[in-house]
Amino acid sequence: GENVEQHPSTLSVQEGDSAVIKCTYSDSASNYFPWYKQELGKRPQLIIDIRSNVGEKKDQRIAVTLNKTAKHFSLHITETQPEDSAVYFCAATAYSGTYKYIFGTGTRLKVLA
Amino acid sequence: DTGVSQDPRHKITKRGQNVTFRCDPISEHNRLYWYRQTLGQGPEFLTYFQNEAQLEKSRLLSDRFSAERPKGSFSTLEIQRTEQGDSAMYLCASSLREQGRQTQYFGPGTRLLVL
């Protein structure tokens, strides 16, 4: 069935360093890949997304890359700050039917000051 | 706040009781989703509405679960005869097709604890 694997499950970085989170999806029909940030006790918030016709997208310190052949996509955060500490989820969906999201299991990012 | 809202935010109930949660989506959004999130996991899809029609239900949604969206606006999720395994965060999300993508906006969730 549809599946999204996400690694690592936890990630600690020093403030100012970069963080990379990787996801792999199984459904070749997937063509939209959002990333959500969830702080403790709060709702998931969209931080960046990418469509399958684009290989990379950047928004200030955040970037996402997509390799459709390998079914991999990654989140890159540069110049990390303590407020980047949160759980990050990747998701995949296809432009058909319900557009339901299949989420990864999450990465807990801790930025050490 | 014009985002997705959910009520209640927290619910503690005893095993065997029925509970009902409400979700109010962003007003112009025609698509509404329910997800369940357990500790340390990503949200898992439960069901989906387009306007008032329930178009897909996950295998996770046993016959004790029922969801409605009677007028294509707010939605309710009812769990009958709750079990301890139902303890989780129940998230609602809504979306509107824009620029060829289906961005879902999430509510704050209802955290359910079944004792």
Side-chain angles (χ1 to χ4, degrees):
Chain A
E2 303 148 329
N3 185 48
V4 174
E5 293 187 358
Q6 183 171 347
H7 300 280
S9 57
T10 59
L11 179 60
S12 292
V13 299
Q14 289 295 132
E15 183 177 359
D17 287 350
S18 296
V20 180
I21 302 170
K22 299 182 179 182
C23 289
T24 304
Y25 60 97
S26 61
D27 185 358
S28 57
S30 298
N31 49 18
Y32 175 65
F33 307 92
W35 285 88
Y36 284 83
K37 175 183 180 182
Q38 188 174 30
E39 297 177 74
L40 191 62
K42 296 192 176 180
R43 72 187 74 196
Q45 296 267 20
L46 179 75
I47 56 170
I48 196 167
D49 55 10
I50 192 167
R51 295 171 62 185
S52 59
N53 58 349
V54 175
E56 184 173 357
K57 182 178 177 181
K58 190 173 181 180
D59 182 4
Q60 299 182 15
R61 296 186 297 108
I62 296 173
V64 56
T65 58
L66 172 65
N67 182 331
K68 278 213 77 176
T69 303
K71 296 183 189 174
H72 288 169
F73 58 114
S74 300
L75 177 71
H76 304 253
I77 306 174
T78 59
E79 301 171 20
T80 53
Q81 301 167 2
E83 53 265 37
D84 294 330
S85 296
V87 179
Y88 291 81
F89 293 99
C90 62
T93 188
Y95 283 171
S96 62
T98 65
Y99 298 83
K100 66 186 179 189
Y101 286 0
I102 306 300
F103 281 90
T105 49
T107 296
R108 182 173 298 280
L109 174 65
K110 186 178 291 187
V111 179
L112 307 171
Chain B
D1 186 356
T2 56
V4 179
S5 61
Q6 292 186 246
D7 184 70
R9 295 291 307 277
H10 304 273
K11 179 70 177 179
I12 300 174
T13 191
K14 293 182 179 179
R15 191 175 50 188
Q17 298 295 305
N18 299 343
V19 294
T20 300
F21 310 143
R22 176 179 170 126
C23 170
D24 286 88
I26 295 171
S27 59
E28 65 269 25
H29 285 188
N30 59 347
R31 295 177 177 238
L32 187 147
Y33 303 80
W34 285 97
Y35 292 86
R36 181 171 69 187
Q37 185 176 25
T38 53
L39 204 61
Q41 299 296 316
E44 295 176 291
F45 170 78
L46 292 179
T47 190
Y48 154 72
F49 290 85
Q50 181 163 309
N51 300 313
E52 66 276 8
Q54 187 175 20
L55 298 184
E56 184 171 342
K57 292 167 60 174
S58 163
R59 288 190 299 273
L60 293 174
L61 217 64
S62 75
D63 56 6
R64 296 184 297 105
F65 288 70
S66 62
E68 294 182 342
R69 195 183 182 196
K71 297 181 180 178
S73 57
F74 73 91
S75 175
T76 58
L77 178 68
E78 180 183 15
I79 309 174
Q80 296 182 326
R81 306 180 303 281
T82 52
E83 301 173 356
Q84 288 183 326
D86 297 331
S87 296
M89 173 76 86
Y90 290 84
L91 290 164
C92 175
S94 68
S95 72
L96 177 69
R97 187 167 195 153
E98 55 181 1
Q99 297 179 346
R101 68 184 192 192
Q102 286 281 327
T103 302
Q104 294 183 20
Y105 298 89
F106 283 83
T110 295
R111 185 171 295 282
L112 172 66
L113 178 61
V114 182
L115 302 176

